[in-house]
Amino acid sequence: MALESEISTLQETPNFRGTDAGSMRLLACLSDRVRLSTGETLCHGGDPSDAVYIVLNGDVEFVREGGDGLQRFGVDGPGAVIGEVGVLCDAERSLTVRAVSDLELLRLDRDSFFRLMHDKPDFSLAVARNLAMRLRTEAARGF
Amino acid sequence: MDTNLFRYAWRHSKGQQLVLLAVIIISLPFYWISLEVPKQIANDAIQGRAFADGNLTATLFDMKIGLPAFLGGGNLVISEGLDLERLPFLLVLSGWFLALVFVNGAFKYFINLRKGVLGETMLRRMRHDLFVLLLRFRPEDVAAVKPAEAASMIKDEVDPIGGFIGDAFIQPVFLGTQAATALIFIFVQSVWMGIAAAAVVTVQAVIIPLLRREQLRLGRMRQIESRRFAGRIGEVVETASTVHTFGASADVDADVANRLGTLFTIRARLFKRKFAVKFLNNMLSQVTPFAFYSVGGYFALRGEMDIGQLIAVIAAYRDLPPPIKELIDWDQQRQDVTIKYEQVIKQFSPSKLLPPFDEAAGGNGFPASGAPIEIRSVSIGDGRGGHVLDRLSLTLARPGHIAFLDEVGGARDVLCRLIGRQITEYEGSIAVGDCDLSSFPEATLARHLTYCGPSPDLSAGSLRDNLLIGLRRMTAAPGEDDVDYSRLGPGEGPETLSRRLHEAIDAVGGNEHVRRLGLNSRLEGEFLDHTADRIVAARRLLHERIETAGLTHVIERFDATRYNRQATIGENLMFGIPVGGRLKGTGLAHDPFTLSILEAEGLLGSLLAGGRKIAEMAVETFAGLPPDHPVFERYSFLSPSLVEELTDVLDALAKQGDWGPTPALRGELLELVFEFIEPRHRIGLLTPEFRARLLRARQSFQRHLPHELRDAIEFYDYDRYMRQAPMLDNLLFGRIAGDKMHMRDRIVPLVTAVLTELGLDETVFDLGMRFDVGKGGQNLHPQQRARFAVARALLRRPEILVLNGTLGALPAADAATLLDGVRRAMAGRTLITSLGDGDEAEGFDAVYRFKGGRLVSGGA
């Protein structure tokens, strides 16, 4: 997939709809495109937060590995931003992320993520919106 | 430095100035004689006065000194002279005149040369003095200095001052005595003519400078008005919308027209003044000879003056205006340079300076390692009436590991900077034992206390040079060991240094980083001779290990029959690396043979389209990004300046239309596309058809490669070491497929194990140490910069290490690991660090918590 199709794919997702093509292009230029096969693990809870991932194609599942087995936290698809909380909070990854189908992602290292947040407000807004939506979902569950 | 330029110049160049003054005095009699000789030629030789009374010969160069009566009177004959007939007399006299021209020229040559050397010597001294002053600026004063301005002052602005110092004393004496000699000579020939010449010189010396002064004033005024005019235009452009909204266009136009009128008036006055000066100069230089010819001729006709005298006067007068003009110029230069000197000195005269960094300058020795750090009633304002630190008194026991807890930018940071002597202006006192912190000379303090701040700065040069800063002798000859081991401590030498480097790098978790830098570097020099064969052996072993681990698919090997997606298009076409000459750098894109191959295989069109796509993407996305933006690291073949150039390339391409790109534009586009790697840059060029064609082109390229290009490429060969390729490419004989997650993490341990097994670890480490970190460390990742900055501090093995915010660049987990390493390395010594919360400070000997500039809890 070339940069241009990555940009259109992202702009079609709810998280990045309406974002400026220039911002998305810079995001794509700063990222590596990586692949994972079904069942492979993207990262484990407790890993250092060294990068943020954005799903281009495929679905991921968030789980917590513990002594009493796996605790599932849901599935997300294209446009999902993964690992930004750990990077923003400068903390370890809290959950394990697995590919539930063949997966294509953009990998944005920590410094590039911060730089993009700083340079492109619409990207920052998309990340913030994504976080707010998750918070809202979690809050709804709690109530 | 002295605030008066002349005093400064005299103090440092007195000896040389006096020698030159003496030479000038010695030159004057020769100059006088050179004015006399033409008179003698005209009167004695041409008019024959020496051969009056029918004498066939006359005596030349006879020298007699008349003796006073008490010595018996008469003459003391020093030289009998030469008796010559009239023609030889003329020729010898003319020869004598020529010889004097040479002698006077030689004096001028010597004086000018010495003046130049003197000026350059003083320039060197002045630049050095200023630089030393800059080094002695207090940290808070350095922070206020704009680096470009300071550099420009030391490099450019003092340049004319140095040049002037050569002239400062010599020029007025040299020119003044020359002018005076010529004037006195004219007076001696004829008083009236002397008066006329003196009058003209006076006019030149008094009126012309006055006119010029006005000319300068007008010039300055024009400059200021031009600047205002430009500013006004800029302002109108910025507020164009407001101007139109409020219908102020006519007013703005009138204002600009008015400014243009002012500029015109100033320019017109400037022209008047300038040409008036020129007119006066021309007139004076023409009118005076008129006076000499008419008045001098009148005296000659009346017999009150001879022809020889008239010729000599005219010749002497010819020598008179240039020195006067140069003296006027000197005076003008003096005014300019004095102002410039005062301005530079002002910039380099802060209210306080640090103690001289020369250890010989004295100062306190550093107290024993058990002496505590005493902070007594220290306060620092926040600039808004409050305090960042409010009357803090604290005793920090040594040795010990001490943590200050507060928010970023709070008291913890200020306190670290105070102890690190990064802030020197505060109320209260800080002492180590009995000695005030400010009393230690730089060299003493640096040996015992090291401060590591939040933005560690590295300089262009190798990683090793950066780590060894302060330990290296800059004066070491090439090839000579440049480390001053004594600065490391007693008993230190090359062997211990290597161990210390490893310890420091290890403590900051930097081994993997150094190894990565080493693996991405090329073997050169003696490394290459000793290691190349071992790397080829390591390659075979590594491939066995990779195969055993089932990871063969992770490496895209250099295979003559396959396109390597991890390599650039240029590398794929050549199936090798350019060695130098025609194909290196951008050479491949402009090489006629390469172009013919691409054209024959029908690749040129798609490559040019790819190049254009990259250019468009770069202009749209990267234009205006700062040079340190990470995107330029990923697209290393694009720089901000190249992105700017690409705008012109795209404009030119648009103008070309259907004609297609010119050879120059074609070269520019190919340069871009040859650097392209699909998984990284992803412009969608690598279709199966393109790959197939490129492989065909590769075969043609190798088959038809002209003889003269045979040595320009190092082809990939499994059995040979590739000199132009980095170490990792050589070990893998290929590249890691970057698009499959976690693959690098699986390959790297295999590489590391093989290197260790074959005893190549040290070679890779040394290679990593040779990595050029770039200006400000820009070739390193910010996290690497922080790690290496801490390693640099540890290498000094200071008694006190102050770590203030350096680890902020690292993720929290890495920072905690690094801090553990630092604590182990600093065991038994003093570590002072600023931290965010108490958890991070677990195990510290003393933890102090601050809030609002006050100590709220803490102690051992």
Side-chain angles (χ1 to χ4, degrees):
Chain A
M1 191 191 284
L3 283 179
E4 291 305 319
S5 52
E6 288 167 10
I7 293 162
S8 345
T9 305
L10 283 176
Q11 284 182 313
E12 281 165 18
T13 64
N15 279 339
F16 293 101
R17 192 164 292 145
T19 45
D20 173 46
S23 304
M24 290 297 97
R25 193 175 292 113
L26 190 57
L27 160 67
C29 288
L30 283 167
S31 309
D32 285 319
R33 204 183 69 220
V34 290
R35 289 179 293 124
L36 243 77
S37 303
T38 309
E40 286 185 328
T41 303
L42 178 67
C43 57
H44 291 278
D47 282 353
S49 296
D50 55 352
V52 171
Y53 297 90
I54 295 157
V55 179
L56 286 173
N57 281 315
D59 294 319
V60 289
E61 183 183 29
F62 301 91
V63 297
R64 179 169 289 150
E65 299 162 308
D68 49 349
L70 285 183
Q71 195 184 349
R72 295 174 200 283
F73 284 85
V75 173
D76 214 337
V81 182
I82 302 165
E84 80 283 28
V85 175
V87 169
L88 288 169
C89 298
D90 200 5
E92 295 167 348
R93 297 203 189 278
S94 53
L95 296 173
T96 296
V97 185
R98 297 191 314 192
V100 289
S101 64
D102 284 351
L103 205 58
E104 279 192 312
L105 311 108
L106 289 182
R107 181 186 185 278
L108 192 60
D109 70 37
R110 184 175 178 268
D111 293 327
S112 298
F113 173 74
F114 281 126
R115 192 70 191 236
L116 201 60
M117 293 272 288
H118 182 263
D119 288 350
K120 300 288 178 185
D122 53 344
F123 173 76
S124 307
L125 202 60
V127 172
R129 195 186 301 125
N130 183 41
L131 280 171
M133 293 294 280
R134 275 172 24 202
L135 192 65
R136 187 184 157 95
T137 310
E138 292 300 315
R141 269 188 205 158
F143 293 116
Chain B
M1 279 172 76
D2 207 306
T3 48
N4 182 290
L5 174 63
F6 283 83
R7 266 204 309 268
Y8 177 77
W10 185 251
R11 204 175 61 216
H12 296 294
S13 62
K14 200 167 23 189
Q16 293 176 68
Q17 306 270 13
L18 286 171
V19 168
L20 272 172
L21 290 174
V23 173
I24 289 170
I25 304 295
I26 293 168
S27 74
L28 289 178
F30 292 91
Y31 178 53
W32 180 277
I33 297 169
S34 74
L35 294 175
E36 275 283 343
V37 173
K39 187 175 85 179
Q40 217 178 339
I41 291 173
N43 286 344
D44 295 344
I46 297 172
Q47 288 191 312
R49 203 168 64 185
F51 299 91
D53 307 327
N55 290 336
L56 288 176
T57 60
T59 309
L60 197 58
F61 302 137
D62 54 327
M63 285 177 77
K64 294 175 192 150
I65 296 175
L67 295 174
F70 65 89
L71 287 174
N75 287 321
L76 176 65
V77 178
I78 296 171
S79 163
E80 291 288 346
L82 298 169
D83 281 335
L84 297 167
E85 289 179 4
R86 193 160 174 177
L87 185 59
F89 188 90
L90 173 69
L91 292 177
V92 169
L93 214 45
S94 301
W96 173 227
F97 177 73
L98 188 64
L100 284 169
V101 168
F102 280 120
V103 169
N104 284 325
F107 271 119
K108 271 190 185 164
Y109 168 79
F110 178 80
I111 291 165
N112 283 330
L113 179 71
R114 297 310 308 170
K115 263 193 333 187
V117 172
L118 174 61
E120 205 51 38
T121 312
M122 285 305 294
L123 180 61
R124 188 176 64 176
R125 170 178 282 277
M126 203 185 312
R127 281 181 171 149
H128 184 245
D129 285 353
L130 289 173
F131 187 68
V132 169
L133 278 178
L134 192 63
L135 285 177
R136 287 184 55 202
F137 271 31
R138 297 177 308 164
E140 46 267 62
D141 291 326
V142 171
V145 173
K146 289 182 184 152
E149 274 182 20
S152 156
M153 266 188 263
I154 294 178
K155 182 179 154 282
D156 301 322
E157 290 188 29
V158 297
D159 202 73
I161 304 176
F164 177 77
I165 288 179
D167 288 341
F169 299 99
I170 305 306
Q171 193 78 338
V173 175
F174 181 51
L175 298 172
T177 50
Q178 261 203 336
T181 308
L183 199 60
I184 291 166
F185 181 82
I186 296 172
F187 265 107
V188 170
Q189 309 311 315
S190 158
V191 175
W192 286 109
M193 286 183 140
I195 290 169
V200 171
V201 165
T202 311
V203 170
Q204 257 190 316
V206 175
I207 295 181
I208 290 176
L210 283 177
L211 290 173
R212 272 213 187 151
R213 202 166 297 161
E214 178 62 7
Q215 198 179 322
L216 285 176
R217 195 187 68 81
L218 287 169
R220 274 196 291 272
M221 199 197 270
R222 186 176 154 258
Q223 208 175 3
I224 293 165
E225 280 303 322
S226 299
R227 220 175 282 155
R228 281 184 189 152
F229 175 65
R232 182 64 179 137
I233 289 180
E235 193 182 285
V236 171
V237 172
E238 278 170 13
T239 58
S241 150
T242 312
V243 168
H244 291 306
T245 306
F246 293 97
S249 297
D251 296 336
V252 169
D253 180 41
D255 176 44
V256 167
N258 195 26
R259 285 169 194 270
L260 283 169
T262 310
L263 275 172
F264 173 81
T265 314
I266 296 171
R267 198 68 195 255
R269 283 169 65 192
L270 199 60
F271 278 140
K272 274 187 205 164
R273 192 63 65 166
K274 186 175 165 185
F275 292 113
V277 171
K278 219 169 192 175
F279 169 76
L280 198 62
N281 254 330
N282 284 341
M283 201 185 69
L284 288 174
S285 58
Q286 297 301 322
V287 164
T288 318
F290 156 78
F292 285 167
Y293 287 127
S294 53
V295 180
Y298 169 75
F299 286 132
L301 287 176
R302 286 189 51 170
E304 291 174 21
M305 194 175 177
D306 55 47
I307 297 297
Q309 279 176 309
L310 185 56
I311 289 172
V313 163
I314 290 170
Y317 181 74
R318 205 181 50 229
D319 280 359
L320 201 50
I324 299 294
K325 188 177 167 296
E326 282 180 47
L327 270 175
I328 294 167
D329 289 344
W330 174 88
D331 185 56
Q332 201 170 311
Q333 210 184 348
R334 180 189 63 81
Q335 289 173 26
D336 288 351
V337 162
T338 307
I339 291 168
K340 222 169 243 174
Y341 179 82
E342 283 166 4
Q343 280 172 347
V344 170
I345 293 298
K346 205 171 157 192
Q347 295 298 317
F348 283 81
S349 305
S351 54
K352 280 183 190 168
L353 285 170
L354 293 176
F357 48 80
D358 180 8
E359 254 184 303
N364 281 324
F366 208 80
S369 63
I373 298 171
E374 302 277 2
I375 297 163
R376 292 277 168 265
S377 281
V378 169
S379 295
I380 285 207
D382 60 3
R384 299 186 298 274
H387 284 94
V388 192
L389 211 56
D390 192 8
R391 285 164 291 157
L392 176 73
S393 290
L394 206 57
T395 300
L396 304 174
R398 287 202 305 142
H401 290 187
I402 299 151
F404 297 137
L405 308 183
D406 197 355
E407 291 168 353
V408 174
R412 62 167 211 188
D413 298 335
V414 173
L415 200 46
C416 280
R417 292 174 65 202
L418 281 167
I419 297 170
R421 215 165 78 172
Q422 301 298 302
I423 300 175
T424 57
E425 189 88 43
Y426 53 87
E427 287 173 32
S429 73
I430 301 176
V432 182
D434 296 331
C435 304
D436 196 89
L437 188 66
S438 62
S439 68
F440 302 117
E442 184 185 286
T444 308
L445 191 76
R447 250 200 324 272
H448 301 274
L449 186 152
T450 304
Y451 173 83
C452 203
S455 332
D457 42 2
L458 302 176
S459 320
S462 72
L463 178 58
R464 178 182 178 276
D465 290 351
N466 272 284
L467 292 175
L468 295 182
I469 186 171
L471 300 174
R472 290 171 58 229
R473 287 176 292 119
M474 295 297 180
T475 49
E480 193 187 345
D481 189 353
D482 60 353
V483 179
D484 182 355
Y485 298 100
S486 65
R487 294 189 208 175
L488 261 177
E492 298 289 337
E495 309 77 29
T496 52
L497 175 68
S498 170
R499 198 176 71 234
R500 303 243 173 269
L501 267 173
H502 277 286
E503 284 169 358
I505 294 289
D506 200 35
V508 299
N511 273 323
E512 185 49 44
H513 297 273
V514 176
R515 185 181 297 123
R516 199 175 298 168
L517 298 177
L519 286 172
N520 288 322
S521 304
R522 287 188 299 146
L523 281 177
E524 280 171 347
E526 80 276 21
F527 276 108
L528 189 61
D529 303 334
H530 300 144
T531 321
D533 290 343
R534 294 166 67 198
I535 300 291
V536 176
R539 178 187 296 170
R540 295 182 212 285
L541 185 61
L542 182 60
H543 281 167
E544 280 172 25
R545 299 282 163 84
I546 289 173
E547 209 174 322
T548 312
L551 293 171
T552 313
H553 65 285
V554 175
I555 308 295
E556 282 199 46
R557 283 179 56 171
F558 298 126
D559 181 339
T561 62
R562 298 184 66 174
Y563 187 93
N564 191 319
R565 287 172 5 103
Q566 310 302 328
T568 66
I569 289 182
E571 288 167 336
N572 266 292
L573 175 66
M574 290 183 283
F575 193 64
I577 317 151
V579 175
R582 269 171 63 175
L583 302 182
K584 198 151 174 112
T586 56
L588 186 69
H590 300 271
D591 176 57
F593 166 70
T594 309
L595 290 173
S596 68
I597 295 286
L598 295 176
E599 207 147 20
E601 297 297 342
L603 275 167
L604 204 51
S606 46
L607 284 173
L608 291 174
R612 188 168 186 162
K613 217 181 243 182
I614 296 173
E616 285 168 351
M617 188 271 296
V619 170
E620 278 176 31
T621 316
F622 304 163
L625 294 179
D628 65 340
H629 200 282
V631 82
F632 291 114
E633 199 180 310
R634 294 181 60 80
Y635 288 74
S636 53
F637 58 97
L638 289 172
S639 60
S641 56
L642 180 60
V643 171
E644 273 178 38
E645 281 173 32
L646 289 177
T647 311
D648 299 335
V649 169
L650 290 173
D651 286 349
L653 276 173
K655 279 182 198 156
Q656 291 288 316
D658 296 336
W659 292 97
T662 59
L665 291 174
R666 193 176 57 195
E668 303 255 16
L669 294 178
L670 286 178
E671 278 176 30
L672 292 178
V673 80
F674 278 158
E675 295 290 335
F676 166 81
I677 300 173
E678 178 64 31
R680 179 179 291 187
H681 305 128
R682 310 194 292 281
I683 55 165
L685 189 64
L686 285 196
T687 60
E689 191 200 346
F690 178 87
R691 283 202 291 253
R693 283 187 183 202
L694 201 104
L695 287 176
R696 276 207 309 274
R698 178 192 289 179
Q699 286 171 1
S700 305
F701 190 86
Q702 292 199 351
R703 198 178 306 133
H704 304 294
L705 189 68
H707 183 72
E708 68 270 18
L709 289 181
R710 298 260 167 221
D711 295 332
I713 303 173
E714 191 174 33
F715 292 108
Y716 295 132
D717 182 343
Y718 190 78
D719 297 318
R720 286 177 57 196
Y721 184 83
M722 303 174 293
R723 291 161 174 258
Q724 298 299 318
M727 182 92 139
L728 189 61
D729 281 9
N730 266 295
L731 285 164
L732 296 172
F733 194 70
R735 305 227 167 111
I736 300 171
D739 54 347
K740 200 80 177 98
M741 274 296 285
H742 311 309
M743 290 305 137
R744 178 170 283 275
D745 301 340
R746 297 177 69 182
I747 293 292
V748 168
L750 297 178
V751 175
T752 310
V754 167
L755 289 172
T756 309
E757 210 171 309
L758 297 183
L760 285 164
D761 274 342
E762 202 54 28
T763 305
V764 178
F765 185 84
D766 286 346
L767 214 51
M769 281 290 146
R770 290 184 177 207
F771 179 80
D772 184 356
V773 302
K775 191 181 168 197
Q778 63 182 6
N779 296 341
L780 294 174
H781 198 275
Q783 296 180 17
Q784 290 176 325
R785 280 203 289 272
R787 282 181 199 277
F788 293 137
V790 179
R792 177 173 67 180
L794 288 176
L795 195 63
R796 301 299 301 256
R797 298 199 300 151
E799 282 171 34
I800 303 169
L801 172 62
V802 182
L803 215 53
N804 179 26
T806 322
L807 309 185
L810 278 77
D814 291 358
T817 313
L818 199 152
L819 189 59
D820 282 345
V822 172
R823 289 200 57 199
R824 278 194 299 276
M826 289 296 293
R829 287 177 281 153
T830 301
L831 171 68
I832 298 172
T833 184
S834 56
L835 295 173
D837 62 57
D839 293 347
E840 299 170 50
E842 204 181 306
F844 273 68
D845 301 315
V847 179
Y848 299 93
R849 188 181 294 276
F850 293 87
K851 199 165 187 186
R854 287 182 170 274
L855 181 67
V856 290
S857 70

